[in-house]
Amino acid sequence: MRRELRPVVEAHLVFTLGATLAAMGDLAGQERRGSWNWPGRSAVIGLMGAALGIRRHGDFQALDALAVAVAEFETGTPMRDFHTVQTVPTAVVKFPQTRAAALRDAGDRVNTVLTQRDYRCDVLYGVAVRGAGLEVIAQALRHPVFTPYLGRKSCPLNTPLAPLIVEASSAVEALAHVQVPEWHADSVARLIHEEPGMGHEPELQRSARHDRASERDRWHFSSREVVTRTCAITPQVMA
């Protein structure tokens, strides 16, 4: 007689990410800074690190070991902003100590470049994290050391993080416990993106995404595999 294996139930930390304006990475060039539709691994790890008070050159080893899943409740609408940026030709100033020093020494010999910054407006996501140290992270999200934001510092959160630790056999099951404000009660997540091994529901696709931080001081990111699943997750309404 064949025995069916039951899914393993594990602790997951779930929380909510909502913002009026969000910027969620992409391969960045000098003149164009794009944004994905949903926050990647580096954004989630960075936000938790900020809540814990870890600076950019700090120890992220424990956070890097976590598995992360993101549910798309509302991906919002795209918006593009334009900036002018001054750059200093290397032939004018060689090996400056700081950007301010380079601009000062260059005088009027700077170049002005028009750059584009992409954002998403009115977004809402659910996050599920699995691994060690969840209680400490949950407490930090309730009382963050540094202000959390969704992407750039011009993108503050407009929704409580509402961290909660739940027991679940998959990321999809855990994300059903995400709590949202009453005005988002009708939101339904149709897609979730997770690390391999976080679920047992049917997969829609597997893809690669460059959002695993490899050298934070140089803003270098490596590729990782992402599993996308279809679902119909209705969040819980905050009391």
Side-chain angles (χ1 to χ4, degrees), residues 25-48:
D26 201 350
L27 299 179
Q30 177 63 25
E31 298 182 8
R32 169 79 185 278
R33 300 292 176 91
S35 176
W36 280 307
N37 289 350
W38 53 278
R41 178 181 174 84
S42 58
V44 174
I45 296 296
L47 186 143
M48 291 189 294

Side-chain angles (χ1 to χ4, degrees), residues 178-190:
V178 166
Q179 299 181 357
V180 301
E182 186 176 355
W183 57 87
H184 285 303
D186 295 332
S187 299
V188 178
R190 302 294 182 184

Side-chain angles (χ1 to χ4, degrees), residues 1-222:
M1 182 177 179
R2 185 176 180 180
R3 297 177 59 187
E4 293 186 3
L5 296 177
R6 293 184 179 181
V8 178
V9 175
E10 298 184 65
H12 292 70
L13 168 63
V14 298
F15 56 92
T16 307
L17 291 180
T20 303
L21 197 65
M24 293 164 289
D26 201 350
L27 299 179
Q30 177 63 25
E31 298 182 8
R32 169 79 185 278
R33 300 292 176 91
S35 176
W36 280 307
N37 289 350
W38 53 278
R41 178 181 174 84
S42 58
V44 174
I45 296 296
L47 186 143
M48 291 189 294
L52 289 164
I54 303 175
R55 297 184 180 275
R56 183 173 299 164
H57 300 292
D59 185 1
F60 282 84
Q61 185 175 354
L63 294 179
D64 286 337
L66 299 174
V68 176
V70 177
E72 298 183 13
F73 286 103
E74 297 178 21
T75 58
T77 56
M79 187 193 81
R80 180 166 296 171
D81 193 17
F82 296 90
H83 293 245
T84 54
V85 177
Q86 289 182 315
T87 62
V88 178
T90 55
V92 175
V93 179
K94 296 184 181 296
F95 309 112
Q97 295 299 312
T98 65
R99 173 173 169 78
L103 292 172
R104 181 194 64 225
D105 296 341
D108 59 357
R109 294 172 294 174
V110 298
N111 296 327
T112 301
V113 179
L114 182 65
T115 65
Q116 305 172 31
R117 308 283 178 92
D118 290 347
Y119 297 86
R120 307 288 303 185
C121 300
D122 300 319
V123 299
L124 181 69
Y125 306 98
V127 177
V129 178
R130 192 181 70 193
L134 300 185
E135 288 283 0
V136 175
I137 300 172
Q139 184 63 17
L141 293 176
R142 297 185 188 101
H143 305 283
V145 176
F146 299 126
T147 302
Y149 48 86
L150 193 45
R152 303 187 182 103
K153 290 185 178 179
S154 57
C155 305
L157 303 179
N158 66 2
T159 302
L161 288 162
L164 182 66
I165 296 179
V166 300
E167 297 290 332
S169 62
S170 69
V172 172
E173 183 180 331
L175 287 163
H177 295 273
V178 166
Q179 299 181 357
V180 301
E182 186 176 355
W183 57 87
H184 285 303
D186 295 332
S187 299
V188 178
R190 302 294 182 184
L191 294 175
I192 75 160
H193 312 277
E194 63 184 49
E195 314 274 359
M198 288 190 74
H200 46 73
E201 295 82 3
E203 298 178 10
L204 175 63
Q205 65 179 21
R206 293 198 176 206
S207 58
R209 185 165 176 175
H210 284 75
D211 62 357
R212 181 185 289 275
S214 55
E215 294 183 76
R216 288 183 169 84
D217 56 337
R218 298 186 178 183
W219 293 90
H220 287 178
F221 301 88
S222 59

